[in-house]
Amino acid sequence: MKKSIFLSLLLLALGLQLHAQKTLQERLGYSADAKLLIIHADDLGVIHTVNQATFKAFKEGSVNSASIMVPTPWLAEVAAYAKANPGHDMGIHLTLTSEWNYLRWGPVASKSEVPSLLDENGYFYPDCAQLWEHAKIAEVEIELRAQINKAIAMGIQPTHLDSHMGCLFSTDPRYYELYASLAKEYGIPAMINHEIAALGGAEGTQPPVVINQILGAGPTDFDTDMAAFYANTLRNLEPGVHQMIIHCGFDNLESQGMSAEHPYWGARWRQQDYNFFTSEACAKLLEAENIHLVTWKELGALWSK
C-alpha cells in the first residue's frame, strides 16, 4: 500500500515537472519547434488616421493585435470600434509620456493627484528619461490604474498590457514590479519577454507567460529599407512565441502634423508599416516560413491557469 502511494506521488511529481518544462508553443497546442508571432500595432487612439489604418490592417492584412493609448484624443473612436468588434485582440498601451512636438496630452487621473508626472505646461514629459527623473512611483500607480479603469469603463475589454516607449521597463525595478502586479491584480496578461522579466527585483514577480522576443524596426531600418528588414526578420524567425511591434498609419496631413519636426515613427514610417503588413507578399512569406499568428487573447488563457 505504501509502495503504491509512493509510486503515485512520484508519477504526479514527474507529470508536474514535464508540464513545467513544456514550451510556450506546446502550452498553446503547437509543436515545440513552432514559430508563433503576434503582429501588433501600437498607438491606437493617438489620431484618427492611426485608428483607421489599424482597423483596415485588421480587416485586410496580417495585423492581429493592437494596443490603445487611453490618454490620447481619439480614444472614443477606438472604444466604439472595440465594442463593435469584441473578438479583436486589443490591449492597453500604458502611457506616461507625450513625445510629439505639437500634439500633446496629459494624465487620465486628476493633475493634482499626479503632479510629478507633468512638465511645466501640464503635459506628460516627452521621454522616459525625464519621467524617471521626476516621477514618484505612487503617482505612476495612480495614473496607470486610472488608464486601465477608464478603458474598462468605456467598454474596452483589454486582452493585454504593454508600455508606451518602454517607460515601465526601467532599471529601477519598482516600475517593472508595478507593471507585473497590476497585470496580476486585473487578470490581464502583460507583454513580458525574458529580458523584461529580469528587471524584477522582488520575488514572486515572474509571470505565468513570458514570450521569447519583442521585435520591431528601428531608425537604421527606416533610413535604409523597412520592407527588407521585415522580410528578413520573418525569414530568420526562430521557434518560440514572438511579438512584432509596428505602427500603422496613412501618410496624410493629419499624420504629418502629428509627427512634424520628429524624424522617426511618423507619417512615412507608419505608411510603410501599413503597406508591408497588409501586402500579399507579407501573407505569402508568413505561409512560406510556416509562421502561425497567435494573439494575446490566446496567451491570456494560459495567464489565468
Side-chain angles (χ1 to χ4, degrees):
M1 182 68 175
K2 289 182 179 179
K3 185 176 181 181
S4 175
I5 293 172
F6 173 77
L7 287 173
S8 296
L9 291 172
L10 179 62
L11 289 171
L12 177 61
L14 287 171
L16 290 172
Q17 185 177 10
L18 287 171
H19 175 74
Q21 292 174 346
K22 277 188 175 182
T23 65
L24 189 51
Q25 303 97 290
E26 290 174 301
R27 292 168 64 194
L28 289 168
Y30 294 86
S31 65
D33 61 351
K35 295 182 286 187
L36 309 183
L37 183 65
I38 302 165
I39 300 178
H40 186 275
D42 276 2
D43 297 355
L44 275 175
V46 66
I47 55 174
H48 175 64
T49 294
V50 165
N51 291 349
Q52 290 301 309
T54 305
F55 300 159
K56 194 171 183 182
F58 268 138
K59 183 177 180 181
E60 300 178 3
S62 299
V63 175
N64 69 335
S65 185
S67 59
I68 303 161
M69 300 175 74
V70 177
T72 54
W74 280 84
L75 172 67
E77 181 180 43
V78 183
Y81 180 86
K83 285 189 286 186
N85 297 273
H88 280 1
D89 199 67
M90 301 173 74
I92 300 177
H93 203 41
L94 293 167
T95 300
L96 296 167
T97 49
S98 177
E99 70 272 29
W100 305 109
N101 291 324
Y102 306 118
L103 174 64
R104 307 297 307 279
W105 51 80
V108 171
S110 167
K111 290 183 178 181
S112 63
E113 293 183 290
V114 293
S116 71
L117 309 188
L118 310 179
D119 67 12
E120 66 276 11
N121 296 314
Y123 299 122
F124 284 146
Y125 292 104
D127 57 53
C128 299
Q130 292 181 69
L131 168 76
W132 295 333
E133 180 183 353
H134 296 97
K136 296 178 180 178
I137 198 68
E139 294 178 17
V140 171
E141 179 173 355
I142 290 170
E143 176 57 21
L144 297 186
R145 287 184 180 279
Q147 292 182 22
I148 297 169
N149 291 339
K150 181 173 182 177
I152 294 170
M154 292 184 72
I156 297 167
Q157 300 174 16
T159 56
H160 61 287
L161 304 175
D162 59 38
S163 175
H164 182 53
M165 299 176 69
C167 290
L168 293 172
F169 309 142
S170 166
T171 54
D172 180 342
R174 295 178 301 167
Y175 283 86
Y176 169 79
E177 289 160 13
L178 174 59
Y179 177 62
S181 67
L182 288 173
K184 183 177 181 180
E185 177 184 335
Y186 282 89
I188 304 172
M191 183 196 73
I192 297 172
N193 66 358
H194 296 288
E195 288 77 14
I196 293 171
L199 296 171
E203 293 183 8
T205 57
Q206 184 75 358
V209 172
V210 178
I211 65 174
N212 296 93
Q213 291 179 294
I214 299 171
L215 307 163
T220 300
D221 308 303
F222 178 72
D223 290 338
T224 52
D225 189 332
M226 292 275 274
F229 165 78
Y230 288 127
N232 290 333
T233 301
L234 294 179
R235 290 191 187 99
N236 294 308
L237 197 69
E238 298 178 352
V241 181
H242 314 286
Q243 177 163 301
M244 175 69 79
I245 295 178
I246 67 169
H247 302 80
C248 289
F250 298 129
D251 188 359
N252 59 18
L253 285 174
E254 184 191 29
S255 191
Q256 292 162 18
M258 175 191 75
S259 55
E261 300 177 25
H262 196 291
Y264 299 114
W265 290 280
R268 287 201 307 119
W269 182 307
R270 291 165 190 265
Q271 183 72 64
Q272 289 183 49
D273 277 6
Y274 172 85
N275 289 349
F276 182 85
F277 286 98
T278 58
S279 70
E280 186 177 351
C282 175
K284 286 183 176 179
L285 189 54
L286 291 168
E287 183 178 3
E289 297 297 327
N290 198 27
I291 297 170
H292 304 275
L293 298 184
V294 294
T295 63
W296 278 106
K297 190 168 287 190
E298 292 171 77
L299 290 168
L302 303 179
W303 186 275
S304 59
K305 287 183 180 179

